[in-house]
Structure formats: structure tokens, C-alpha cells
Amino acid sequence: MLRSALGWTASHPQTDFKEPAPVADSFVHLHVHTEYSMLDGAAKNGKLVAEAERQGMPAIAMSDHGNMFGAYEFFQKAKDSAVKPIIGIEAYVAPHSRFEKKPVFWSPAASARRAVTVRAARTSPVVAATPT
């Protein structure tokens, strides 16, 4: 099927490959930054929801950096479509102080294995969902 769509007529050992597996019916992006995610997002809420709906996604999440300013607009755009909005935030957590730059150990077991760097320890996407 793919071979004929690409215009290939003869079978060649170098180009002989299997058809790609079908994509799952209900794929959902859970880590999406909108235009409200400073320096990291460019997706406008309306276009984001429209594209998710066009691709047949049942839901889409927003997980902006450190704020939820776009949550209301995101919800309003999604409620008029077939796409379920999932509201989230990529939060930053400082165990002691945001000014502390040395490695952080989250538990005795973790400290025995290795240190978690401050940047990796502070970034944590949080998604809240309500079952329907």
C-alpha cells in the first residue's frame, strides 16, 4: 500500500520494508505549552484546540511554565469543541530555597544512589483531570 502510494513499482531488497503500524485511536498530548508559557510556547489556544479536533484527539492538555494565566481561555475554546481540556502546570519546586544551587537529595535511598541536580529536582509537570 505505502509502496504504491510513493509510486514504487518494483520490489528492491534495499527498500523492502514493512508497512508502519497503525497509530492508536486515542492519542493525547499531555505536555503542551501555550502562548502563555513564557519563552517556551507559541501555540494559540484556539488553533491548538482546532488542530487537536482535526486530528481526532479526544483531549489535549496545557502545561504552561509556572503560571495558569491561559487556563480559562483554553477551557472556553475547548468546551465549544469535541476535545476535552486537561488543565495543568509545569511547576517549580525548591526543597529549601530557590537560591540554593547545590545538589539535592530527596530521600536517603536516593542519596545512596546518586544526587539529583537542582534543575532536574525542581521541574515537575502537574496535570489535574476530572473523570467524566
Side-chain angles (χ1 to χ4, degrees):
M1 179 195 326
L2 181 61
R3 191 180 312 278
S4 61
L6 293 174
W8 296 348
T9 54
S11 177
H12 300 288
Q14 296 87 1
T15 58
D16 217 9
F17 57 90
K18 295 180 182 178
E19 292 290 325
V23 178
D25 292 334
S26 59
F27 177 81
V28 175
H29 282 286
L30 295 177
H31 190 137
V32 178
H33 297 298
T34 70
E35 62 186 313
Y36 293 93
S37 190
M38 297 300 174
L39 302 176
D40 199 21
K44 298 198 179 298
N45 286 323
K47 290 181 179 181
L48 179 65
V49 170
E51 183 62 18
E53 187 173 26
R54 186 190 73 77
Q55 292 186 18
M57 293 182 190
I60 192 159
M62 64 160 282
S63 57
D64 288 340
H65 280 291
N67 74 72
M68 295 185 74
F69 299 132
Y72 181 78
E73 179 186 339
F74 178 73
F75 178 80
Q76 292 300 319
K77 299 287 183 182
K79 82 173 187 179
D80 297 332
S81 73
V83 178
K84 179 180 179 180
I86 302 172
I87 311 289
I89 184 171
E90 190 165 334
Y92 303 95
V93 180
H96 303 315
S97 166
R98 65 185 177 141
F99 301 109
E100 189 173 327
K101 303 296 183 196
K102 64 182 180 181
V104 176
F105 300 102
W106 288 93
S107 70
S111 63
R113 287 189 306 253
R114 64 175 198 192
V116 178
T117 63
V118 173
R119 177 156 173 80
R122 292 192 326 210
T123 304
S124 175
V126 177
V127 176
T130 308
T132 58

